[in-house]
Amino acid sequence: MKPLKFKPLTSLVPLRFNSDWVESIFSSTEKVWVGFSGGVDSHVLLHALVNQITLAQKQKLFALHVHHGLSANADDWLLHCETICNNLGVTFKAEKVQLESQASIEDAARNARYQAFQANMGEGDVILLAHHAGDQAETLLFRLLRGTGGKGLSGMPNERWLANGKARLIRPLLSVSKQDIEGYAIQYKLDWIHDESNFDERFTRNFLRRRIVPALKERFPRMEQNMVSSADRIATDYAMLSQFAQQQLSVWCNPFGGLELSNILDKPLNERLFWWRHFLQTKNVSLTQSQLESVEVMFSGAEDKQPEFEFANGRIMRHQNSAYLLPPDDVVKFAVLVDDVTIFRSFDCITVKGSGACELRARPLGESLIMSNGKTRKLKKWLNDEAIPSWWRDHLPYIYLGGTLVAIGNLWQHPDYSFLTVKWQPSSKLPLLRS
């Protein structure tokens, strides 16, 4: 995604948006959303925006309030937000969410919030969030204390795609201080929500905000501005580094998208981890440092091993010393193949003609295949001969007529059953690695 050409703000005090930026936002989409918690930050963002847009632009503006149900005041907050939006003439939408069970309530609430954003936003929509310079500084401190790398130290991005890749998230207030935001709210006599959870120092961010940041600001008055500036520079450096890394990986990856491990195995450990990280990021996968280290150990082993690293949304496997990012495995579907009726499975589709009724069965053990020259070959040997990846071996369509294995997709067919026509289309999601 290319960043917007114009900077969002022309001045911080008073808070003024760049008219060209506003026009570029509203002219490029049917809906502009504001994440509206009802706190001072989101209230100022919404109020300032409403005061500086045209009536036509206002028709495209929507406020989205996420009701987590964590506070006894949550219902009152929803009504408060709806009242504010009605007074401003902004279309209001509330989304009630259920938090998934996670170790961190903060993480669960944040994940639920972003899921609600994506559920409501259409293709090309934009959502504006009111994160400010103080939030950016807290994020950098929080990530630094957790041992983040270069990407983490770039902080929250000004703009990014949401996970569905169809809608954009923009943070126009990242350079604005909390003091300036509260000054605006007082000037315009805004009424905002005070979330009692913000005072609970059991949450790390609250502890940093209430105990650590004030002490640092007393010693370093420009701490927030300097940290925001540093994050911007690191973000630029990291983006360029990622671009160069991607160019190199395009040379080191084969036509099927697999990373040829011979290109990195002789490099020092930290460099191998670097290339693993960027290879996975080209596939939109981000693993923790400990996960990357586990991957590196598993895939640096002997080439005759079949390592498999599973994570939440996929797995990494090796074939002929190249690493591939694959979707999660699925149960193999077996079924009767009615003549000329296509069966759709997780990773392929199969159609058989001329058989009457064949069956898809599980991979047989100890089976021997009759080849076109009349000789036989053990199935296991044949799979090796054909260089079938391990992730496909159970998923291949083993087609039986009666008790006889008569075809394996369109890769092998029993010579006595040439009257059968087999159409097999493997999915690109699970590479077969055959040209």
Side-chain angles (χ1 to χ4, degrees), residues 184-224:
Y184 180 102
I186 292 169
Q187 177 185 352
Y188 286 93
K189 298 181 175 57
L190 303 186
D191 183 20
W192 64 88
I193 288 166
H194 297 274
D195 186 344
E196 68 275 4
S197 69
N198 289 333
F199 300 95
D200 188 345
E201 293 183 6
R202 290 176 300 171
F203 299 128
T204 303
R205 284 183 178 272
N206 291 345
F207 174 77
L208 291 173
R209 183 183 308 124
R210 294 175 58 81
R211 296 288 188 94
I212 306 303
V213 170
L216 289 172
K217 289 176 75 172
E218 184 176 348
R219 186 66 178 262
F220 306 99
R222 288 187 54 81
M223 182 198 78
E224 285 184 1

Side-chain angles (χ1 to χ4, degrees), residues 231-305:
D232 285 342
R233 292 199 300 272
I234 293 172
T236 299
D237 292 348
Y238 192 83
M240 294 186 67
L241 179 64
S242 296
Q243 182 178 342
F244 293 141
Q246 189 169 351
Q247 290 172 357
Q248 182 61 69
L249 286 168
S250 68
V251 177
W252 286 352
C253 288
N254 62 37
F256 303 100
L259 173 61
E260 297 177 358
L261 296 175
S262 59
N263 291 303
I264 67 170
L265 288 179
D266 61 344
K267 300 188 181 302
L269 174 61
N270 283 342
E271 289 188 30
R272 297 200 299 273
L273 293 173
F274 170 91
W275 289 114
W276 272 112
R277 181 181 301 110
H278 282 273
F279 167 66
L280 294 173
Q281 285 176 1
T282 63
K283 314 290 187 181
N284 298 315
V285 171
S286 179
L287 300 183
T288 65
Q289 183 71 9
S290 61
Q291 287 176 315
L292 282 174
E293 291 171 354
S294 297
V295 169
E296 205 288 318
V297 169
M298 291 174 66
F299 286 80
S300 294
E303 293 183 22
D304 60 340
K305 303 295 183 182

Side-chain angles (χ1 to χ4, degrees), residues 39 143 152 159 235 267 295 318 324 333 350 355:
R143 292 179 179 178
E159 303 175 31
K267 300 188 181 302
V295 169
R318 185 172 64 188
Y324 296 87
K333 177 181 177 181
I350 312 104
S355 68

Side-chain angles (χ1 to χ4, degrees), residues 96-385:
K96 292 189 176 182
V97 297
Q98 291 277 40
L99 301 192
E100 296 180 1
S101 177
Q102 291 181 230
S104 166
I105 294 177
E106 291 173 286
D107 289 343
R110 182 170 56 254
N111 291 338
R113 220 166 25 247
Y114 282 91
Q115 289 171 9
F117 294 161
Q118 291 172 190
N120 284 275
M121 296 174 68
E123 186 167 357
D125 284 3
V126 170
I127 187 164
L128 307 178
L129 300 185
H131 294 114
H132 52 77
D135 294 324
Q136 184 72 298
E138 290 168 14
T139 296
L140 291 177
L141 284 172
F142 181 69
R143 292 179 179 178
L144 187 61
L145 292 169
R146 293 179 66 179
T148 190
K151 185 178 181 182
L153 288 178
S154 64
M156 294 181 288
N158 292 284
E159 303 175 31
R160 70 172 178 86
W161 291 111
L162 287 174
N164 61 15
K166 296 178 181 179
R168 285 187 299 170
L169 181 154
I170 301 176
R171 299 181 174 96
L173 303 185
L174 272 184
S175 61
V176 182
S177 70
K178 183 75 168 186
Q179 181 180 358
D180 289 340
I181 288 174
E182 290 180 340
Y184 180 102
I186 292 169
Q187 177 185 352
Y188 286 93
K189 298 181 175 57
L190 303 186
D191 183 20
W192 64 88
I193 288 166
H194 297 274
D195 186 344
E196 68 275 4
S197 69
N198 289 333
F199 300 95
D200 188 345
E201 293 183 6
R202 290 176 300 171
F203 299 128
T204 303
R205 284 183 178 272
N206 291 345
F207 174 77
L208 291 173
R209 183 183 308 124
R210 294 175 58 81
R211 296 288 188 94
I212 306 303
V213 170
L216 289 172
K217 289 176 75 172
E218 184 176 348
R219 186 66 178 262
F220 306 99
R222 288 187 54 81
M223 182 198 78
E224 285 184 1
Q225 298 94 313
N226 291 340
M227 293 185 74
V228 169
S229 178
S230 293
D232 285 342
R233 292 199 300 272
I234 293 172
T236 299
D237 292 348
Y238 192 83
M240 294 186 67
L241 179 64
S242 296
Q243 182 178 342
F244 293 141
Q246 189 169 351
Q247 290 172 357
Q248 182 61 69
L249 286 168
S250 68
V251 177
W252 286 352
C253 288
N254 62 37
F256 303 100
L259 173 61
E260 297 177 358
L261 296 175
S262 59
N263 291 303
I264 67 170
L265 288 179
D266 61 344
K267 300 188 181 302
L269 174 61
N270 283 342
E271 289 188 30
R272 297 200 299 273
L273 293 173
F274 170 91
W275 289 114
W276 272 112
R277 181 181 301 110
H278 282 273
F279 167 66
L280 294 173
Q281 285 176 1
T282 63
K283 314 290 187 181
N284 298 315
V285 171
S286 179
L287 300 183
T288 65
Q289 183 71 9
S290 61
Q291 287 176 315
L292 282 174
E293 291 171 354
S294 297
V295 169
E296 205 288 318
V297 169
M298 291 174 66
F299 286 80
S300 294
E303 293 183 22
D304 60 340
K305 303 295 183 182
Q306 297 292 337
E308 179 175 2
F309 182 86
E310 295 186 59
F311 55 96
N313 300 311
R315 54 199 165 124
I316 305 167
M317 296 185 71
R318 185 172 64 188
H319 180 72
Q320 295 185 336
N321 209 32
S322 290
Y324 296 87
L325 183 66
L326 307 174
D329 202 5
D330 203 357
V331 176
V332 184
K333 177 181 177 181
F334 307 120
V336 173
L337 286 166
V338 178
D339 204 55
D340 207 20
V341 175
T342 302
I343 293 290
F344 293 90
R345 305 193 298 176
S346 299
F347 302 120
D348 61 6
C349 60
I350 312 104
T351 311
V352 174
K353 293 183 180 180
S355 68
C358 292
E359 283 186 84
L360 288 174
R361 296 185 185 175
R363 173 163 57 134
L365 300 176
E367 182 78 52
S368 292
L369 307 182
I370 300 177
M371 312 311 291
S372 57
N373 60 8
K375 295 183 178 180
T376 60
R377 189 73 169 157
K378 286 290 186 182
L379 174 61
K380 184 176 180 180
K381 295 287 189 182
W382 178 84
L383 291 169
N384 291 335
D385 295 342

